[in-house]
Every structure is written in structure tokens, then in C-alpha cells.
Amino acid sequence: MAALDGDSDEDLVSYGTGLELLEEGERPKKPIPLQDQTVRDEKGRYKRFHGAFSGGFSAGYFNTVGSKEGWTPSSFVSSRQNRADKSVFGPEDFMDEEDLSEFGIAPKAIVTTDDFASKTKDRIREKARQLAAATAPIPGATLLDDFITPAKLSVGFELLRKMGWKEGQGIGPRVKRRPRRQKPDPGVKIYGCALPPGGSEGSEDEDDDYLPENVTFAPKDVTPVDFTPKDNVHGLAYKGLDPHQALFGTSGEHVNLFSGGPEGANNLLGDVGVNKGRKLGISGQAFGVGALEEEDDDIYATETLSKYDTILKDEEPGDGLYGWTAPRQYKNQKESEKELRYVGKILDGFSLASKPLSSKKIYPPPELPRDYRPVHYFRPLVAATSENSHLLQVLSESAGKPTHDPGTHSRHQLNASKRGELLGETPIQGAPTSVLEFLSEKDKERLKEMKQATDLKAAQLKARSLAQNASSSRPQPSSPDVGHCSWHVALSGGTAPVRASNFKPFAKEPEKQKRYEEFLVNVKRGQKDALECCLDPTMTEWERRRERDEFAQAALLYVSSHSTLSSRFTHAKMEDDSDQVEVPRDQENDVSDKQSAVKMKLFGKLTRDTFEWHPDKLLCKRFNVPDPYPSSTLVGLPRVKRDKYSVFNFLTVPETASSPATLASSEKVPQHQGPDKSRKPSRWDTSKQEKKDDSISEFLSLARSKVGPPKQESSPLVNKEEEHTVESVSDKVNKGVDSQTEGEGSRPSMDLFKAIFASSSDEKSSSSEDEQGDSEDDQEGTREADVKGSQETDLVETLSVAQASEPAPQEPAPFFPIQKIQIDEREEFGPQLPPVFCANARQKLEAPLKEKHKKNKEKHKTKKEHRRKKEKDLP
Amino acid sequence: MEDNNKVTPKRGFPGQKASVQATLRWQGREGGAMAFPEPKPRGPELPQKRLKTLDCGQRAVRAVRFNVDGNYCLTCGSDKTLKLWSPLRGTLLRTYSGHGYEVLDAAGSFDNSSLCSGGGDKAVVLWDVASGQVVRKFRGHAGKVNTVQFNEEATVILSGSIDSTIRCWDCRSRRPEPIQKLDEAKDGISSVKVSDHEVLAGSVDGRVRRYDLRMGHLFSDYVGSPITCTCFSRDGQCTLVSSLDSTLRLLDKDTGELLGEYMGHKNQEYKLDCCLSERDTHVVSCSEDGKVFFWDLVEGALALALPVGPGVVQSLAYHPTEPCLLTAMGGSIQCWREETYKAEDGTG
């Protein structure tokens, strides 16, 4: 642009850089398209300049996040089947890997902060720094750093100091006299009161004599083990060339690049400490000797490779070439052993163990069955009293365990006198408490004798059986044949096929298992020496004997368990707790007092029940309401598990007090008893009971509708009569609608009977019940069912006939009743007969039919009433 | 009966066209501009002038319901259809057919975009208003569905059935099962009403249950007699409960205390509707003697017994803002306005 008008440059203001003028014949260069102007990071990924260059959060692919499409909720789960877990994202989820690395903004590795960093660890670094300072072009540049050190001590130091520790001392109780063993290494720096080093044994002994009795010494400072991880690619223990050694050391010395670990480091330290005395200055090879230097260093030393090791091996002792890099085993072999020792106070009478403890063998926990669910069901506890003894019995039976053994008295089963006895009280001389007390002395004696005799007999029997068991199950090593007999008999007697694949007692040791299987095969063939030939010949006699025992036992066990147990038990097909139902924890309590409250118009607290109710989370979401119980997974009313046929389910029903005796005697009674009145008779309960009579009542109603209407209008009494006639038609069917409704009031529900009379053997009858719905007569059993079945088929036939002839257009009068009954039935028994509506007929019939319905209602009592109320009825 | 019945459905093509236009307008009226002006402060007037009688042509009308702003109404017929009307004009806008049995209840969504209905075929149906198509059919009830309601945002349909459950169906997802089944009732559900965070259900077992989603509580009030209809008062403080002992009771929502009792009508057999007037001034109930009864809410005195016809008044619906009442008797519905009402725009 600037070049557009060259003449009037002064007048124009130009912005930006002008385009280069094109030369003749040159094709204009294509500019780099915007999408190609990219910056990439070291891994070839697009780099974006979000945030600072220290690594702000990346905003994803082409400035989107996560993917090409932008945000991808990684944890998206379709809410149709299962809901996604709520996952909380932290900032880390949006970071790159670099950010999490050591130098990123959020490093993952744990680094000791300065407060807790130990000083000793830094020694090597410190040393290196000193060395660097010494070899630096301007020596002493780091001196200042040494002088000015921040007065910062690690927490450990401070704690120790508070406890009276001084720097340079060891940790532990003070010792009376310095043990000779703790003679410091020559190279190690000695803190505190150090002995003059370098003495002979004898001289040291002399030193001991010097020590006054009352002087105690702090223990020796233990040089901590250096745990710095190896993070380079050098060989093990390679330290690199020590510049100090190379530069300041005597040039004739051998240089060892591999030293013995931390000791070497300490040596280095000591060396520098010694060298500190030397004046700092420019020195070393090739620097010449300064004017102020006293020593005449060999400044023209030449480096020769012979100074270095060419092979990795320990040097032979005694060649006198050890410097600071001497292999440690020549320095103090004993010391290394004692390095880790117990420093605390040793109790009197104890000494340090010379051998380390053998490590404990850890046995794995027993393997649980695959389907094992660690749930414990608590049986309801019922105190045994005279009133509920029956209940207790039923309970214990339902729990599958026998009533309490009278021999094992629990605390609660003792009566007062027994407790008194236990407490050593004198028994009360009042009324006798036991029948035994009425007996004369002689009788008592006799009883006692008899008891003793029986006891004795039982004991003898027991002993004998025990002996037998012992002899059979454990064959004596001296005479293995005896044992063989028993298990041979057992194995051959039990015709069960030997299937070793199922039962592997020695699965842990495949060798042994193999031997065992071999043994079984041999046994099956009937070989007498089955055991001997399959045992491992390399084993010792004792081991063989042991294994023989084991095999014999296993074989016995296997056979017995397989043949006897398996014939009696089968695998469970259903889960064990299938006989449990979930019952709402809180029930709407009794209605009777509420009814009275309603009568007195005392609405409010008396008529209100409040329950904890858990709405579904999704429902809350849809209603825009926060979940009232965000942590619970429950939905609906809180529920508890109860035994399905437990008497406890019915304890709330007042009339369940019906004593079992009457129940047992009243075989026929249930037929005439409806569900309990105190429970609000529910429409669906009754319908269940009626379902069995489905076809019968249909038949009844059809018959009624055919015959009934003219009569019905006359009076309800006639209606009743007519029903009786119908009943007589279906004579076997003694459960007419009327008798049912009449008896409805007093009969408890079927489940109660099940709870009381339930035994596992009546599966058959219960299954037939299921077919019939919850029928009333399970006492009648299958015979009844058969009769019924035949009747039903008959009835169905008549029904179909009736249906075919039913819609009679020429009879307007019975039209509505048919409708009415049909509606009832449809409601009750599902949509069998579609309603036939005719607006005109309905309008006309309305008024008179009303009256009739009311009469019907009176007659049919509550049940029918409910049924009809439901319907928004035909007007 | 036949006097006002000038508009009959199935006229032919022109009528169809008009209905489509009206449907569009029905859709266009989303939350805001009402056709009726805001009620001026004046004494409560009761709708006692019969404005129109519509023969719905769907045999018995099981229920009549206003839409959310009261401009349209739905009638549930026993001939398996659901019809959308403009009650003041008396025009049929659309017929929704797809139920297998009679339709027992229906409701419209807050944005007038969808309808729900339940019926004797045990199904709950979600309809698209404009297209008249079935959007979803929720099956799962074991008995006929007595009552349906949308929640406030039309995301959930709550349906009460004689199988004694209330099921909450999700309109958002394609899940065939209900979100939740409220099966605490011991007997059939006759009435369900929904507020922003509550579900009020009346059951034939004589209890009114209120599920408070926000508190996570279920309040169960025992009334004794089988309950036919329940509703919230418009201020949300009270619940009105009608039961088969020919009594309506006004209960305090929070405590369950009895605030008022209204008697005089007859309701012993059928499931009849009750409601409160547009400003909570009166309690309105159907009666089996062919009248609609109005009681003063506070005094409990009978204000008006409006004779509707010879049959049972099966259902009624009260306009949300105006003194306008719809009643259903037999196969027809009646529209009632206050005495001073003048037809504003050209109603047919």
C-alpha cells in the first residue's frame, strides 16, 4: 500500500508492511493458509498459547475441548437403562500429562518440603558444591553462601534438640563408657569427645583406664544409610571421577571409580575437611606452583590410564594402594554387621538376638464360595412365655432349627429357684416348684438309678463307636491292612463312581493330587496295595505314613459325602431368601380409632399418618425439586425384609389372635370366613379370592342377567332367592357370591394360614392354589381342584353359549342389567366382554335403574359397592 | 337440550379447515396473552347462565377438562375418543382416537402442546395436539386408568388406576417403565392432582395421600368413605376432598385438620368431580340428582344448586380465571357463565 503512490508520500499515511513488488514473470507466492500456521510442541501436537507459557490448560482440539466435536462427556451413560454415576471433576482432569510431570504446574510425585528434608541427605550435594567452589575459576565465590546460611532447621532437628540432643551426637541413652567396639572409623568424622585416633589396641585399653566413672557419653552418631535412588545410567556404585582426587590428589595414586557406597562419600567429606586447612587459591595441575605455596607439588603430573581400573574386580588385599576409594571390606569388616542394631535400652535379663527372627508365614484366608453373600439375617427374638409359646415354636420351626435343647440352659431359661441355687441361696421351703418334689425318696432313688444306667449305656455306646471310628479312619502304621480294609470296604461298598475331578482335596499340591488320583484309580481296580504303589518313593517313611493316612481319610470322606449326602440333597434352584418379602417399615395403623375420629370430625393428628417417603431421583429431577434424600438409593416407603410366612406379618392384625387350636379344628371354617374386617377390605383382595370362582360367578351373573331383570326390579328378596336357585343349579359350587360376601368379615388372610401351617411338603397344593388365584380352600386340596377344573370347563361352555345368545335386541328391559353386570365383571376379571352402550337406551333407563342399583348395593354390601363406586357409572 | 346445539361436528371440509386454524391458534397461545381480560375486582359471580350445550357425539362424556388457560376444553368419551373443543364458540377442533376403551380422563400440558389421557384400556396416552397423533402409549397399569395429570412442566404424567397404583411416566425418555410407582394405596385411585412439588391422590380406601417430593414425606389423611375427587385450592393451602358419603371436606394441607364441610348434594355411587371456583370463593361439586352445587367456602352455606338436567352430572371443570363452568351430563357438555356475561367476540 505504501508503494501505491510513490510521489505523494508525505501526504499519505501508510499502515502495515507493504507487499513486495512482484518481479517480472514471477508467480505470486501463495500465502500460508491460516490453518497451516501452527505451532507444535515437542511431541508434534498442536501447541496452543492459552494461559502462560508455563502450561496453562489446553483447550483441546482446534480450541475445542476434548475432541473434534468439542466437549465429550466421557462418562455419558444412557439414562434409559442405568444412570451415570455422579463424577466430580477436578482440575487434574483437564490437565495435560506435562502439567502433572515433575516440572509441571501440578506435579504428582511427592517431594519432601524443606521443613522436613533431612540435612544429611544434602551432604553429598553440599560437598559437591564445595568442590565446585574449590575448582571454580574464581574460588571462594560460594564462600559467601557458606557464611550466610538461613537459620532453618528441619522439624526433626528441632524436636531432637528439644529433647536434649546436640548436633554431632548419636541418638539413644547415654552410655557409661565408650565401648571399644564403637571405635570410630579412621576416616569418619568424629563429633563430640573423640578419642585420639590411630592408636593401637593396647593404647586404647590404656585410654579406657583414663575415663572417670561418672562420665557418660552420648552414643556414636550413626551415619544414615543413603537411600538416594539411582537415577543415572552409570554402573552400580559408579561415582564419576572425583575432581578433588584428580586435581589435588597425589598423582601417583590409583583412581577407583567404584567405591563402596556411603562410606566413600563420608571419606570424601573427611578429605575435604582436611583439605580445608589448605589455603584457597588457584592450584592444581597445569597451574604451576604459586609463589606462596610451600609445597612443591608435582605440577607436571601426567594422566595415565594405568591409574584407572580396566576391569571390574575387587583389588587384592595388601597391595597398599587404597586411598579414599578403598573397598570397604578392608576397612572394617565387623562394623558392617553391627551397623543396624537396636539402640534402645535393653531390659535386664534380655539380650539381643544373635539370629534374626524367621519371617512369619502368612496363610491366606479360606476361599469363600463364589455366590457367598455376607449377609446375616436376624431372627426376631421372642421371649418364651406361656402366651406365645406356640408362636415361639412356629418361629423356631420356620427358622429351621429345633427348639432349644433343654440341657443347654441359657440365662433366660433358668427359673428363679435355679438362679437361687446358682447363687448359693437356700431354697425356699414354700410350695414345691417341680413335680420331682412330690415324689417320695424311694422313687427318686429309683429314678436316679435308671438315669445313671441309661447314661452309662449311652456313654458306653459312644465310646464304642468312637473306638470304631478311630480304628477305621486311622489305620495304624504297623498294620496298614486294617485300615485298608475299612476304606476298601467303604470305597467298594459305596458304588458311587470315583470322580476325582469333582473333589480335589489336594488341589493345592498338584503332585500330591496326582498321586491321590492314581491311588483312587488303583482302589477302583481293587488293588490291595493301592496306597503303597502310588506313593512317592523318595519320601521319608514318616511322610509316607502321613500321606497314606491323608489319602485314606480323603477317600472315605469323599465317598461318604458323595454317596450319602448327594443322594439326599440337590442344588438349590432358588435363592435362599426367596421366602422373604419386603414389607413397608411403617404401616398405616389401625383404622378403627380413625373411624371414630372421623365420626367426631376430629380431623388432624388423629387421622393423619406421616411417613418417610423417598421419591425417585429422576422424579425429583423432572419436578425440579432437590432430592430430599440425596444419599439414599431407596425408592418409595422404607422397607424391611420379613419372612414371607412369618406370623409377625400378621401380628398387627388384631383378630389374628385366633388361637391355633381353633384354626386347626376349623377345617371348614375358612370357607365361610372372608378376609378380616379390621383390615380394610380391599377390592383387590376380594377379587383375588373370587378369581377362583371366576367362571362360576360369571355363569351366575349371566344366568341372573337372563332370568333376573324382571325379578330384580320386583324386590331384592326375590333376587336373593334367584341367586339361591342359581346356586342350586351349580350345586357343587358351595361358594356362592352371597355366602362369600357374608362370611367375608371374619376370615384372616390366606397367608396367615400359610404362616402357621406352612410346611415344605405342601408345594403341590400351593401350586394349585396359584393357578386358582388366592383361593379359599386349600384344605380341600387337589381333589377339590380337580372337581373345579371339570366344572370350569363346563361353565365355560355354558358361558360361550350364553354369550352367543346374550345380546337380545328385542328385549330392551334386560339390556341395562346385562350391561351393568358386564361392567362389573370387566372391572373385576379383566376386559372379557366389551361394553355395549347406547346413548338413547341409557338416557331412558336412567332414573328407574338408579333405584334398583341402590337395592342391589344394599344386598351386595360393601364389596359390590366399592366396585361400582369406582366406575364413573352410566347415568 | 337441542336449542343451542347449532354446531355439530362432521360437517365436512370447511369445518375441518376452521378446526385446523383454531388448533394453530391454540398452539400459538403459549403462556401469556389471554383472550379474556384480567378479572376486575368485583364480587364473586357464579356461572348460572347456560351459554351453550354441545352434543359431543361420543356417547357418554366421562370427563370434561379445561386446558391450562381455559380457552379450550377436552371431552373424554366412552366411544374411545378424546375431543378438543372451543367451548365458547362451540366448535370441535380435533378428535383424538387411539384408545382401546373408553377414555376416562385427560389433561393438557402447560404449553398446550400435548395432551395426556387414560382410559379403560389400561393405557396412558400422550398426544400431540396439533397432529392428533399418539406420541407415546404407556402401558403397565393392571386396571383401567381413572385419572391422569401432567406435572407442571409436562415432563411427567401421573396416572391413577384402579389397580391402586399411581405411576409416574417419563415423557422425556423412551423408557417404557414408569419412573416410580406409588403403590401405597390399598384400593383404587380415583383422583390425582399435581402441584409443583406435590402429588395429591384420593383413593377408594378412604385416604387422601399427599406425596411431598420436596420434603420426602407421605401424608396420609383418613377420611373413611371412598374418595371420589380431590383437589388443591388455588392458593395451595387446602385440599378439597369429596367422598361417597355425600360430603365434601376442606382439609388443611399441612395439618390435615378439617376446615369446612359441605353437604346437601348427593354422591353415593359414582365418581363425581368437585372443584373450587376461580378465586377459591366457592366449592363446586357435581351431584347425582342432576344439579351442580355451589357452597360458600368460608361459611359452608349452600350458595346455589344449579339444575343441569335430569341425569347425573358426571364431570365438571371450572375455568382457571373466569366464572365459567363446564358440566358433562350424558353425551353432552354444557357451558355456564355468570349472569352478566356478554359474548365478547363473535361466538357461534
Side-chain angles (χ1 to χ4, degrees):
Chain A
M1 296 220 175
L4 272 180
D5 201 34
D7 297 333
S8 55
D9 261 349
E10 294 87 4
D11 301 336
L12 292 173
V13 181
S14 58
Y15 292 101
T17 16
L19 288 171
E20 280 176 38
L21 281 178
L22 290 176
E23 284 175 28
E24 291 295 316
E26 196 192 353
R27 298 190 60 186
K29 232 190 275 173
K30 263 194 181 170
I32 307 165
L34 197 65
Q35 68 267 21
D36 287 349
Q37 299 176 2
T38 54
V39 182
R40 296 173 191 243
D41 64 1
E42 71 271 7
K43 286 178 183 169
R45 291 180 301 194
Y46 289 107
K47 195 161 186 177
R48 297 158 298 273
F49 299 107
H50 295 281
F53 289 97
S54 62
F57 301 155
S58 74
Y61 191 90
F62 279 115
N63 290 348
T64 61
V65 182
S67 71
K68 202 175 178 178
E69 289 82 24
W71 278 104
T72 312
S74 58
S75 57
F76 174 76
V77 181
S78 165
S79 61
R80 267 183 90 175
Q81 263 74 39
N82 38 6
R83 237 169 302 156
D85 290 0
K86 199 181 283 179
S87 55
V88 179
F89 288 107
E92 292 85 6
D93 293 314
F94 305 103
M95 288 184 184
D96 288 342
E97 299 95 87
E98 300 106 319
D99 297 332
L100 302 177
S101 68
E102 196 180 348
F103 305 107
I105 53 171
K108 280 272 171 181
I110 297 171
V111 178
T112 322
T113 56
D114 279 349
D115 274 354
F116 295 90
S118 76
K119 275 278 151 58
T120 52
K121 205 175 180 184
D122 283 341
R123 271 188 194 169
I124 294 164
R125 200 179 295 166
E126 213 172 286
K127 192 57 31 198
R129 213 177 42 132
Q130 282 179 6
L131 288 168
T135 58
I138 308 164
T142 56
L143 260 186
L144 211 59
D145 293 351
D146 293 336
F147 289 138
I148 309 164
T149 49
K152 204 164 107 185
L153 283 174
S154 75
V155 173
F157 266 89
E158 283 187 23
L159 278 174
L160 281 171
R161 273 191 177 167
K162 287 238 168 90
M163 293 162 73
W165 173 81
K166 290 194 193 81
E167 211 160 341
Q169 289 181 350
I171 299 162
R174 295 177 75 85
V175 287
K176 255 252 164 85
R177 25 167 59 194
R178 180 170 294 266
R180 202 186 304 162
R181 288 191 202 105
Q182 284 199 356
K183 173 186 82 172
D185 302 337
V188 172
K189 206 174 178 181
I190 295 163
Y191 300 97
C193 310
L195 291 170
S200 69
E201 290 279 312
S203 74
E204 236 177 311
D205 283 342
E206 283 163 26
D207 287 345
D208 278 353
D209 295 339
Y210 272 130
L211 290 170
E213 287 292 309
N214 53 357
V215 174
T216 54
F217 295 92
K220 186 199 147 200
D221 194 10
V222 179
T223 311
V225 185
D226 185 16
F227 290 119
T228 33
K230 178 175 151 46
D231 55 355
N232 52 22
V233 290
H234 304 312
L236 277 179
Y238 175 82
K239 298 183 77 68
L241 188 62
D242 176 19
H244 180 250
Q245 168 76 20
L247 294 176
F248 306 117
T250 48
S251 52
E253 250 175 56
H254 186 89
V255 179
N256 193 357
L257 298 177
F258 296 90
S259 74
E263 290 288 329
N266 286 331
N267 279 348
L268 178 67
L269 220 151
D271 278 355
V272 172
V274 170
N275 281 330
K276 268 260 155 113
R278 191 171 167 268
K279 235 187 268 170
L280 286 162
I282 302 173
S283 64
Q285 290 175 16
F287 277 109
V289 184
L292 300 174
E293 309 266 339
E294 280 129 36
E295 303 130 44
D296 213 8
D297 275 344
D298 177 17
I299 57 169
Y300 302 112
T302 46
E303 277 297 293
T304 52
L305 270 179
S306 64
K307 280 199 218 168
Y308 297 92
D309 283 329
T310 48
I311 44 167
L312 270 176
K313 71 170 178 64
D314 291 337
E315 284 178 68
E316 302 94 282
D319 59 356
L321 284 175
Y322 310 140
W324 62 282
T325 52
R328 58 181 296 173
Q329 71 260 34
Y330 299 130
K331 280 192 258 170
N332 205 335
Q333 276 166 320
K334 273 183 187 171
E335 198 67 28
S336 64
E337 261 185 36
K338 305 271 163 58
E339 239 171 20
L340 287 168
R341 9 183 309 155
Y342 180 72
V343 288
K345 191 178 168 188
I346 295 168
L347 286 175
D348 288 351
F350 287 85
S351 60
L352 282 177
S354 53
K355 277 188 286 181
L357 274 178
S358 57
S359 59
K360 265 182 200 162
K361 195 173 180 188
I362 294 162
Y363 296 94
E367 212 168 281
L368 293 176
R370 208 158 49 88
D371 299 330
Y372 177 72
R373 289 169 55 218
V375 176
H376 182 73
Y377 298 112
F378 290 99
R379 297 273 167 195
L381 270 180
V382 179
T385 57
S386 56
E387 294 101 290
N388 59 4
S389 64
H390 181 80
L391 199 140
L392 195 70
Q393 196 185 341
V394 168
L395 254 185
S396 60
E397 275 168 17
S398 79
K401 61 186 174 202
T403 47
H404 276 281
D405 192 352
T408 62
H409 287 298
S410 81
R411 191 166 55 90
H412 297 286
Q413 280 166 326
L414 296 175
N415 58 20
S417 61
K418 280 178 188 163
R419 274 197 295 272
E421 262 175 42
L422 285 178
L423 290 172
E425 290 169 3
T426 50
I428 302 157
Q429 295 301 319
T433 54
S434 163
V435 188
L436 280 177
E437 286 172 32
F438 289 108
L439 297 176
S440 65
E441 280 302 308
K442 221 169 86 183
D443 290 343
K444 274 185 192 170
E445 278 294 317
R446 233 173 51 204
L447 271 175
K448 218 180 209 170
E449 272 172 30
M450 274 171 68
K451 205 179 167 196
Q452 275 173 353
T454 51
D455 279 353
L456 200 70
K457 220 178 251 177
Q460 278 172 348
L461 273 173
K462 207 171 179 182
R464 205 179 299 158
S465 65
L466 263 179
Q468 277 174 350
N469 281 349
S471 65
S472 66
S473 63
R474 208 187 316 131
Q476 278 81 16
S478 54
S479 59
D481 278 356
V482 180
H484 284 204
C485 291
S486 65
W487 53 255
H488 264 291
V489 167
L491 286 177
S492 53
T495 51
V498 182
R499 271 174 293 164
S501 58
N502 293 346
F503 180 67
K504 286 191 173 164
F506 310 111
K508 277 269 169 67
E509 298 157 90
E511 278 291 310
K512 199 171 180 181
Q513 175 67 23
K514 214 171 127 194
R515 287 202 296 275
Y516 174 68
E517 281 167 21
E518 196 183 335
F519 157 73
L520 285 182
V521 171
N522 285 343
V523 166
K524 211 174 143 197
R525 285 201 210 113
Q527 288 179 16
K528 275 271 172 195
D529 54 346
L531 260 177
E532 262 65 29
C533 65
C534 61
L535 288 182
D536 191 358
T538 61
M539 284 193 302
T540 64
E541 181 60 31
W542 182 82
E543 281 172 329
R544 295 176 72 150
R545 201 189 305 155
R546 219 180 116 95
E547 196 161 297
R548 200 186 296 137
D549 283 7
E550 278 177 2
F551 281 6
Q553 289 237 3
L556 275 173
L557 191 74
Y558 170 60
V559 166
S560 64
S561 70
H562 188 266
S563 60
T564 60
L565 292 183
S566 66
S567 63
R568 287 172 193 233
F569 295 99
T570 63
H571 285 283
K573 288 194 182 68
M574 307 258 278
E575 275 212 35
D576 230 356
D577 55 352
S578 64
D579 59 346
Q580 295 208 319
V581 283
E582 294 205 321
V583 183
R585 192 183 61 192
D586 315 302
Q587 299 268 9
E588 284 165 349
N589 49 13
D590 196 18
V591 182
S592 56
D593 52 344
K594 287 201 175 127
Q595 269 167 341
S596 51
V598 166
K599 257 175 212 155
M600 292 188 288
K601 299 193 178 170
L602 290 171
F603 285 89
K605 272 181 188 158
L606 289 174
T607 57
R608 168 160 282 204
D609 294 311
T610 307
F611 307 105
E612 188 183 316
W613 175 74
H614 295 242
D616 195 280
K617 289 197 167 43
L618 183 60
L619 195 66
C620 289
K621 203 172 141 194
R622 295 277 186 262
F623 270 77
N624 279 337
V625 163
D627 192 350
Y629 305 99
S631 56
S632 93
T633 55
L634 202 76
V635 170
L637 295 181
R639 282 163 186 276
V640 287
K641 277 207 164 172
R642 294 242 180 99
D643 278 356
K644 199 188 224 163
Y645 298 131
S646 163
V647 182
F648 282 97
N649 291 356
F650 307 96
L651 286 185
T652 50
V653 181
E655 264 156 274
T656 336
S658 51
S659 69
T662 58
L663 280 173
S665 66
S666 62
E667 288 254 301
K668 290 279 179 187
V669 166
Q671 288 186 7
H672 307 292
Q673 287 181 338
D676 202 327
K677 250 245 170 86
S678 64
R679 269 180 70 211
K680 179 91 185 160
S682 163
R683 239 177 50 78
W684 287 92
D685 281 357
T686 56
S687 78
K688 261 183 200 164
Q689 284 174 347
E690 270 186 328
K691 245 172 208 163
K692 177 189 54 113
D693 301 317
D694 196 340
S695 52
I696 300 157
S697 52
E698 251 169 43
F699 175 76
L700 283 177
S701 58
L702 274 173
R704 216 181 308 151
S705 66
K706 269 183 154 183
V707 191
K711 284 183 191 170
Q712 265 182 347
E713 273 175 88
S714 60
S715 87
L717 276 173
V718 180
N719 207 335
K720 211 165 197 171
E721 258 181 37
E722 161 253 326
E723 269 188 15
H724 284 303
T725 58
V726 175
E727 270 175 43
S728 63
V729 169
S730 57
D731 50 355
K732 284 271 179 182
V733 191
N734 51 0
K735 292 161 287 297
V737 181
D738 263 8
S739 64
Q740 226 176 25
T741 49
E742 276 167 18
E744 215 167 52
S746 53
R747 188 185 179 247
S749 88
M750 201 53 236
D751 284 351
L752 178 61
F753 291 109
K754 275 188 180 163
I756 292 169
F757 296 111
S759 66
S760 54
S761 63
D762 64 1
E763 272 181 356
K764 198 181 166 192
S765 63
S766 69
S767 69
S768 64
E769 273 165 33
D770 287 342
E771 285 162 25
Q772 300 167 14
D774 230 344
S775 79
E776 291 186 36
D777 54 343
D778 56 338
Q779 289 90 356
E780 305 261 338
T782 49
R783 184 187 57 83
E784 173 81 12
D786 288 346
V787 172
K788 200 154 297 280
S790 62
Q791 280 176 356
E792 272 173 13
T793 51
D794 290 348
L795 285 166
V796 167
E797 277 171 26
T798 52
L799 183 73
S800 58
V801 170
Q803 262 180 319
S805 63
E806 176 209 343
Q810 70 273 19
E811 291 175 320
F815 176 72
F816 186 75
I818 291 174
Q819 241 181 32
K820 179 70 209 147
I821 287 153
Q822 277 169 349
I823 285 161
D824 283 350
E825 279 168 6
R826 188 169 51 88
E827 220 178 293
E828 203 65 44
F829 312 118
Q832 289 178 14
L833 305 167
V836 183
F837 286 107
C838 171
N840 298 332
R842 186 178 57 244
Q843 298 272 345
K844 279 179 212 156
L845 280 168
E846 201 167 53
L849 283 171
K850 273 281 171 70
E851 296 303 307
K852 188 204 65 195
H853 283 166
K854 248 163 264 162
K855 283 167 194 164
N856 271 349
K857 195 181 68 189
E858 281 165 26
K859 192 198 65 190
H860 286 311
K861 283 181 145 182
T862 54
K863 190 185 62 175
K864 291 269 180 189
E865 179 187 308
H866 282 302
R867 199 184 301 163
R868 212 172 299 129
K869 281 163 207 159
K870 281 307 188 37
E871 178 83 41
K872 200 177 293 171
D873 214 347
L874 311 166
Chain B
M1 257 211 187
E2 299 291 308
D3 51 357
N4 276 337
N5 193 7
K6 285 168 197 162
V7 180
T8 52
K10 299 165 192 165
R11 262 282 166 80
F13 191 66
Q16 290 271 332
K17 200 167 187 178
S19 81
V20 170
Q21 279 168 0
T23 310
L24 290 176
R25 215 183 307 156
W26 149 285
Q27 277 214 310
R29 275 182 220 279
E30 290 190 5
M34 302 256 213
F36 300 99
E38 282 296 310
K40 299 171 193 83
R42 60 183 178 212
E45 281 181 290
L46 295 175
Q48 40 193 309
K49 192 167 92 176
R50 185 192 297 238
L51 208 67
K52 218 170 263 304
T53 298
L54 302 176
D55 188 359
C56 297
Q58 40 185 177
R59 295 201 265 182
V61 176
R62 294 306 189 193
V64 59
R65 300 282 179 254
F66 266 117
N67 79 324
V68 67
D69 55 9
N71 287 333
Y72 303 95
C73 76
L74 294 159
T75 56
C76 308
S78 62
D79 69 341
K80 313 171 190 174
T81 61
L82 177 70
K83 285 185 178 180
L84 176 67
W85 303 84
S86 172
L88 289 174
R89 284 194 175 81
T91 47
L92 171 68
L93 303 179
R94 192 171 278 281
T95 303
Y96 302 90
S97 50
H99 268 289
Y101 269 96
E102 55 181 355
V103 186
L104 292 174
D105 195 12
S109 71
F110 75 101
D111 56 356
N112 290 332
S113 69
S114 46
L115 305 174
C116 64
S117 64
D121 57 355
K122 308 174 190 171
V124 177
V125 179
L126 177 67
W127 305 89
D128 183 52
V129 170
S131 68
Q133 298 297 308
V134 176
V135 179
R136 298 283 307 275
K137 216 165 196 180
F138 301 102
R139 298 183 185 279
H141 275 297
K144 60 181 188 180
V145 180
N146 273 333
T147 170
V148 289
Q149 283 286 311
F150 272 118
N151 74 333
E152 218 178 32
E153 299 191 340
T155 51
V156 178
I157 299 173
L158 289 108
S159 60
S161 158
I162 62 164
D163 68 359
S164 81
T165 63
I166 300 164
R167 287 170 204 239
C168 310
W169 307 97
D170 193 0
C171 304
R172 288 274 175 89
S173 72
R174 304 293 300 172
R175 201 163 71 153
E177 308 92 35
I179 300 173
Q180 192 171 359
K181 206 167 89 176
L182 316 179
D183 53 1
E184 283 76 24
K186 304 286 187 297
D187 208 335
I189 306 290
S190 55
S191 170
V192 168
K193 291 285 166 17
V194 183
S195 75
D196 56 344
H197 66 283
E198 295 157 308
V199 178
L200 183 71
S203 168
V204 184
D205 65 2
R207 286 175 192 269
V208 185
R209 292 178 178 79
R210 186 165 61 84
Y211 300 86
D212 193 323
L213 272 79
R214 196 177 284 163
M215 284 170 73
H217 281 309
L218 160 60
F219 303 98
S220 164
D221 287 322
Y222 184 78
V223 175
S225 180
I227 288 159
T228 58
C229 187
T230 59
C231 57
F232 287 112
S233 63
R234 293 191 201 266
D235 63 355
Q237 301 288 314
C238 314
T239 56
L240 182 69
V241 178
S242 78
S243 53
L244 280 188
D245 52 358
S246 295
T247 311
L248 278 90
R249 292 179 178 87
L250 189 72
L251 302 178
D252 187 90
K253 193 180 83 176
D254 291 327
T255 62
E257 281 160 12
L258 186 69
L259 300 178
E261 221 174 4
Y262 311 96
M263 284 186 284
H265 68 303
K266 180 157 159 267
N267 183 9
Q268 290 169 323
E269 294 180 54
Y270 305 128
K271 179 191 174 306
L272 301 183
D273 287 345
C274 64
C275 65
L276 289 157
S277 66
E278 86 282 6
R279 280 188 282 165
D280 280 347
T281 52
H282 286 81
V283 171
V284 189
S285 172
C286 304
S287 174
E288 287 167 14
D289 54 8
K291 288 176 187 161
V292 172
F293 282 72
F294 292 80
W295 294 270
D296 189 276
L297 180 126
V298 179
E299 294 161 13
L302 185 66
L304 174 69
L306 181 70
V308 176
V312 174
V313 183
Q314 301 165 24
S315 177
L316 59 79
Y318 210 94
H319 193 285
T321 50
E322 293 278 305
C324 173
L325 179 75
L326 288 178
T327 55
M329 173 181 284
S332 59
I333 59 169
Q334 298 82 29
C335 180
W336 306 82
R337 289 305 301 247
E338 71 273 23
E339 288 289 358
T340 57
Y341 176 76
K342 303 267 190 305
E344 284 155 4
D345 44 354
T347 52

